[in-house]
Amino acid sequence: MQGCGPGGRPLRWTQPLHKQTKEMKLSFVLWLALATPLTLWGQDNTKQLTINQLFELVEANSKSLRAQRSSEEIARQGIQVAKSQKLPDINTSLSTSYIGNALMTNRHFGDAHGLHSPHFGNSFTLEAQQTVYAGGALNTGVRLAEIAARQASAGTKQVREQERFLAIGQYLDIAKIDNQIKVVEKNIELTQHLLDDIKARQAQGMALKNDITRYELQMQNLKLDLTKLHNSRSIFNHQLCNTLNIKDTELVPTEGLTSTRYTDATEPSWQSEAADSAPSMQIARNKIEEAQQNAKMARSKMLPKVAIVAADNFNGPITYELPPINKNINAWYIGIGINYSLSSLFKSNKQLKQAKTAVRLSNEAYDVAAEQVNNQVQQAYTDYQQSYVELETQQKKVELARQNYEVVNDRYLNQLVLVTDMLDASNVRLDAELGEADAQINVAFTYYKLLFTAGKL
């Protein structure tokens, strides 16, 4: 309903001001509810990641590595604990007491009479002992603690290598899938272009409906493969985020993981590196030295212990006199003490024999570890060399498959071959290109596996 205002202009009925205000608030809330999700969806949650950055995240965030570092810190503190055993032992005691009166009787418990005694008693004792010779036990204890620290350090390196290799494997899986996605998307584009050509020919009566159906089926298969690849990428991406202990982010490999040759070092040089750097070899060497030190420790138990001893006693009253004397007395001494356990002659010799057997066992374990590392390095090096042969083969297959596709495509457009031949050529090209994408990443993977096997990752 409307009337006329001044000048004949239409006059519209307006709503009350409080109602307008409510509607404005409601409109703002609706706009905010709609706009907020769009803003969140539009946020960039993608992070480009190089291999160096990947390793830095492993170093900073790995829970396993953090726990192993704590173990290493405890082992280093053990060195100071072992060294402290060389310091003198000092003991002191201080006491006060109430002393009752003494009672004296004859041997038949008769003729009893009391003896008055001072009631306040005090006692102070200070004793010190410095070991000067313990059969080498103290120095051996320090060396055992140092070996334990080196062992913990080797364990940290082993965990670091394992965590890095796990992360680089997931990183390369993502890179491989990214390459496969590019190949499939390119083939979808190529198939769509060919499908448009066939539809145009079918409209002109130069192609059958069945030809279009076959390529539409091919297109659906390609789209399904693309969906599977995206899902696989999401799975590997989630696993890598967990490995790096970061929130879910789309991680994008940025390294040029192509056919670049990573190393030209020979197998003997890799074997030499592995013998020195492989964590398993370092652990095995530490175990040999540990067993040798344990044998020294067992031998030290069969030797005497020599120490400088000193003590001071300040006591009162003097109660060994009757009646007790209400005075203090101070006595001190210093000297050399020798302690030797005779039972070690028939006990420690068996421990020494056991320790010598442990030394032999640790040497045998070292030989086993060396053999395993040697085999692993030889296999990893062979796989690395083979990866280049596989890449060259795949590249040649791609070249031939593309040539074949062009020839078949030209013949199909000239109606010289069937659509099934064209589909076969498309599938051969797709398989060859996917194989090349996998081979490129496999070169990088075999190289990092070689580094991991040699303890250089």
Side-chain angles (χ1 to χ4, degrees), residues 192-209 211-213 215-216 412:
Q192 184 62 52
H193 179 72
L194 186 58
L195 187 57
D196 293 340
D197 288 343
I198 295 175
K199 287 180 178 179
R201 293 178 62 195
Q202 195 266 343
Q204 299 173 2
M206 300 174 63
L208 300 175
K209 176 65 177 176
D211 295 344
I212 298 176
T213 301
Y215 262 92
E216 286 178 341
Y412 177 74

Side-chain angles (χ1 to χ4, degrees), residues 4-46:
C4 293
R9 287 176 296 182
L11 179 64
R12 293 181 174 83
W13 295 101
T14 60
Q15 296 176 343
L17 182 60
H18 70 277
K19 190 172 183 180
Q20 290 183 5
T21 304
K22 289 182 178 179
E23 289 184 354
M24 290 174 64
K25 290 182 178 179
L26 180 61
S27 299
F28 177 77
V29 172
L30 290 174
W31 175 85
L32 184 63
L34 292 173
T36 301
L38 292 176
T39 303
L40 293 175
W41 292 337
Q43 289 179 348
D44 186 9
N45 200 29
T46 300

Side-chain angles (χ1 to χ4, degrees), residues 151 279-291 357-374:
Q151 196 77 310
S280 58
M281 298 299 296
Q282 294 177 351
I283 291 173
R285 281 193 291 269
N286 289 334
K287 287 184 176 180
I288 291 177
E289 190 172 353
E290 180 183 15
T357 304
V359 172
R360 187 177 72 249
L361 176 62
S362 61
N363 279 283
E364 293 169 351
Y366 176 85
D367 293 338
V368 173
E371 180 180 337
Q372 291 175 346
V373 169
N374 182 276

Side-chain angles (χ1 to χ4, degrees), residues 123-318:
S123 174
F124 174 75
T125 302
L126 178 65
E127 296 178 341
Q129 178 174 307
Q130 174 64 60
T131 301
V132 294
Y133 178 75
L138 297 179
N139 290 332
T140 300
V142 174
R143 284 198 277 281
L144 282 171
E146 292 172 346
I147 294 170
R150 292 204 305 270
Q151 196 77 310
S153 178
T156 300
K157 180 179 180 180
Q158 187 174 50
V159 172
R160 179 183 294 110
E161 296 274 319
Q162 292 170 348
E163 291 293 297
R164 286 187 172 189
F165 187 62
L166 174 62
I168 193 65
Q170 294 167 340
Y171 179 91
L172 294 176
D173 282 334
I174 293 175
K176 179 185 292 186
I177 290 178
D178 285 345
N179 285 349
Q180 292 174 349
I181 288 174
K182 292 176 183 178
V183 170
V184 173
E185 288 177 341
K186 183 179 178 181
N187 276 269
I188 288 177
E189 181 182 352
L190 191 63
T191 301
Q192 184 62 52
H193 179 72
L194 186 58
L195 187 57
D196 293 340
D197 288 343
I198 295 175
K199 287 180 178 179
R201 293 178 62 195
Q202 195 266 343
Q204 299 173 2
M206 300 174 63
L208 300 175
K209 176 65 177 176
N210 189 44
D211 295 344
I212 298 176
T213 301
R214 288 178 182 271
Y215 262 92
E216 286 178 341
L217 287 173
Q218 175 79 349
M219 178 66 77
Q220 293 303 314
N221 288 332
L222 288 173
K223 289 181 178 179
L224 177 60
D225 290 340
L226 185 61
T227 300
K228 290 180 178 179
L229 287 172
H230 280 295
N231 290 338
S232 295
R233 192 194 193 286
S234 176
I235 292 171
F236 285 122
N237 189 87
H238 180 76
Q239 292 174 351
L240 181 56
C241 286
N242 282 339
T243 299
L244 301 178
N245 196 24
I246 60 177
K247 65 179 182 179
D248 278 338
T249 304
E250 184 179 356
L251 302 174
V252 180
T254 60
E255 293 286 343
L257 302 170
T258 60
S259 58
T260 304
R261 193 159 192 92
Y262 289 94
T263 177
D264 290 321
T266 61
E267 183 186 340
S269 63
W270 280 103
Q271 293 286 5
S272 177
E273 288 279 355
D276 292 333
S277 302
S280 58
M281 298 299 296
Q282 294 177 351
I283 291 173
R285 281 193 291 269
N286 289 334
K287 287 184 176 180
I288 291 177
E289 190 172 353
E290 180 183 15
Q292 292 171 343
Q293 294 300 322
N294 284 331
K296 290 182 179 180
M297 184 67 77
R299 189 178 295 110
S300 70
K301 294 180 181 180
M302 303 176 66
L303 299 174
K305 311 297 185 293
V306 181
I308 297 175
V309 295
D312 183 82
N313 294 290
F314 182 80
N315 299 311
I318 303 172

Side-chain angles (χ1 to χ4, degrees), residues 104-139:
M104 179 179 290
T105 69
N106 59 25
R107 297 293 292 170
H108 302 287
F109 302 101
D111 192 20
H113 62 276
L115 296 176
H116 178 74
S117 174
H119 296 305
F120 176 76
N122 59 271
S123 174
F124 174 75
T125 302
L126 178 65
E127 296 178 341
Q129 178 174 307
Q130 174 64 60
T131 301
V132 294
Y133 178 75
L138 297 179
N139 290 332

Side-chain angles (χ1 to χ4, degrees), residues 49-69:
L49 195 65
T50 65
I51 291 180
N52 286 336
Q53 291 172 336
L54 176 75
F55 289 160
E56 289 173 359
L57 287 172
V58 169
E59 193 72 22
N61 298 335
S62 171
K63 296 177 182 178
S64 299
L65 193 55
R66 189 181 302 122
Q68 183 59 37
R69 286 200 199 98

Side-chain angles (χ1 to χ4, degrees), residues 324-345:
I325 303 174
N326 190 21
K327 290 185 178 182
N328 294 320
I329 184 170
N330 185 75
W332 63 273
Y333 67 88
I334 185 171
I336 296 177
I338 300 177
N339 180 25
Y340 183 75
S341 175
L342 294 176
S343 61
S344 65
L345 295 174

